[in-house]
Amino acid sequence: MNDIYALLEENNLSRTPCRVEILKTLSHAGVALSESEIRDKLGYNYDRTTVYRTLRNFLNQNVIHSISLEGGEVRYAMTPHKDKPHGSHHVHFYCNQCSGVYCISHKPFDTPQLPAGFSPENYDLLVHGKCKKCTV
Amino acid sequence: MNDIYALLEENNLSRTPCRVEILKTLSHAGVALSESEIRDKLGYNYDRTTVYRTLRNFLNQNVIHSISLEGGEVRYAMTPHKDKPHGSHHVHFYCNQCSGVYCISHKPFDTPQLPAGFSPENYDLLVHGKCKKCTV
DNA sequence: GTTATATTTGCAACAGCGTTGCAAATCCTT
DNA sequence: AAGGATTTGCAACGCTGTTGCAAATATAAC
């Protein structure tokens, strides 16, 4: 709870109920959530616009990050502390069965060689498969 | 031209102008295209619905594949021949400057270890950076 | 604690992507 | 050239995300 207040202060964001609740929801979720899932968990007490604006603020400050899935679906999750925005390596896992999205790692991994002329800046790896819970 | 006809036949798709033109456009593009870019290149001679349905057919037959970008944007590109749908490794490159998307490779690459319980099926790597043309 | 200013919220409206239902047009077979 | 099956266009819709503006709330100053 205090860490959420701290997070808001560090990023110069005022402590409003909506912001606090969204951060609480995302940190307890375990998986990445879509905007509608977030709003659902908050009991539809906040307007769609407000949630989107709040998420956008958090994204700008790198408090959260977004994961884009096939078909254009977007999920949001807490950013593991102090991610450097450039030169970053992200691994996410999408479960084909429960469609849950997990943040696996934000640490460097081996990357394939690119053709001459392409200068990489960051890497996003999305792994599809069966997650922990769905593997019986 | 004949290879496009062959591609349609192999996949049991009738040879309609719309299908032929979309495949021609995608094979000559060099980069992945969005639905609106495709329709633009076809001079808005086809309905949005028709283009979407055509793309969906091509996706189902694995004639083309889609790449999902940050913010939910989707681009479409030809599938390099005979991609096996499972156990596949895809590398795509997004240029931060010209926002072009390139298919780099569909061949296996080193992948990071996943936590216990996660069974990977396929890997999609999206690299952000500066592309060939934009590197002066 | 009260006032004033800046920020945040809700509402209404809008834009874009992708889908469905249905009727008209086109394709493939014979 | 005629038949039925497939494809296309149109209208309408749903969902995600955005903007403008007025009301509500937070922050700072007194």
Side-chain angles (χ1 to χ4, degrees):
Chain A
M1 205 60 205
N2 277 327
D3 36 351
I4 284 175
Y5 296 161
L7 199 54
L8 287 172
E9 264 181 44
E10 283 166 31
N11 291 279
N12 293 311
L13 295 164
S14 55
R15 186 191 300 176
T16 67
C18 179
R19 287 174 179 166
V20 172
E21 286 194 53
I22 288 181
L23 287 185
K24 230 192 313 183
T25 303
L26 285 177
S27 8
H28 293 167
V31 293
L33 300 174
S34 67
E35 177 275 339
S36 68
E37 287 171 324
I38 294 169
R39 203 147 40 88
D40 182 65
K41 283 185 187 278
L42 299 189
Y44 298 97
N45 288 321
Y46 298 100
D47 192 76
R48 233 155 47 78
T49 311
T50 304
V51 175
Y52 276 116
R53 276 195 277 232
T54 305
L55 291 172
R56 204 188 342 169
N57 283 336
F58 289 162
L59 285 172
N60 289 340
Q61 309 272 46
N62 201 29
V63 173
I64 66 174
H65 64 284
S66 66
I67 302 115
S68 295
L69 304 175
E70 319 253 319
E73 221 199 314
V74 180
R75 308 266 178 98
Y76 306 88
M78 300 298 293
T79 300
H81 8 249
K82 315 288 171 220
D83 231 37
K84 46 186 166 185
H86 274 289
S88 55
H89 295 61
H90 295 222
V91 183
H92 292 101
F93 190 95
Y94 176 88
C95 178
N96 292 324
Q97 194 158 326
C98 69
S99 68
V101 171
Y102 299 81
C103 298
I104 299 295
S105 148
H106 284 210
K107 278 176 280 176
F109 51 83
D110 283 348
T111 55
Q113 174 115 33
L114 300 173
F118 288 89
S119 339
E121 280 165 26
N122 55 288
Y123 297 87
D124 287 300
L125 179 62
L126 181 60
V127 186
H128 281 248
K130 216 190 258 185
C131 81
K132 219 170 163 170
K133 287 177 190 159
C134 291
T135 304
V136 200
Chain B
M1 204 63 208
N2 276 326
D3 36 348
I4 284 174
Y5 295 161
L7 199 55
L8 287 172
E9 265 180 44
E10 282 166 32
N11 290 280
N12 293 312
L13 295 165
S14 55
R15 185 193 298 176
T16 67
C18 178
R19 287 175 179 166
V20 172
E21 286 193 55
I22 289 181
L23 287 185
K24 228 190 318 182
T25 303
L26 285 176
S27 6
H28 293 167
V31 293
L33 300 174
S34 68
E35 177 275 339
S36 68
E37 287 171 323
I38 293 170
R39 202 147 39 86
D40 182 65
K41 284 186 188 277
L42 299 189
Y44 297 100
N45 288 321
Y46 298 101
D47 193 76
R48 231 155 50 79
T49 311
T50 303
V51 175
Y52 277 116
R53 276 195 279 230
T54 304
L55 292 172
R56 206 192 336 172
N57 283 335
F58 289 161
L59 286 172
N60 288 341
Q61 308 273 45
N62 201 30
V63 173
I64 65 173
H65 63 285
S66 66
I67 303 115
S68 296
L69 305 176
E70 318 252 322
E73 220 198 316
V74 181
R75 307 266 177 99
Y76 305 89
M78 299 299 294
T79 300
H81 11 248
K82 316 284 171 223
D83 231 35
K84 46 186 166 183
H86 272 291
S88 56
H89 294 60
H90 294 223
V91 183
H92 291 102
F93 190 95
Y94 176 89
C95 178
N96 292 324
Q97 195 157 327
C98 69
S99 69
V101 172
Y102 300 81
C103 298
I104 299 295
S105 147
H106 284 210
K107 279 175 280 181
F109 52 82
D110 282 349
T111 55
Q113 175 114 34
L114 300 173
F118 288 89
S119 337
E121 280 165 26
N122 54 288
Y123 297 88
D124 287 300
L125 179 62
L126 180 59
V127 186
H128 281 247
K130 217 191 258 186
C131 82
K132 220 171 164 170
K133 288 178 191 160
C134 292
T135 304
V136 201

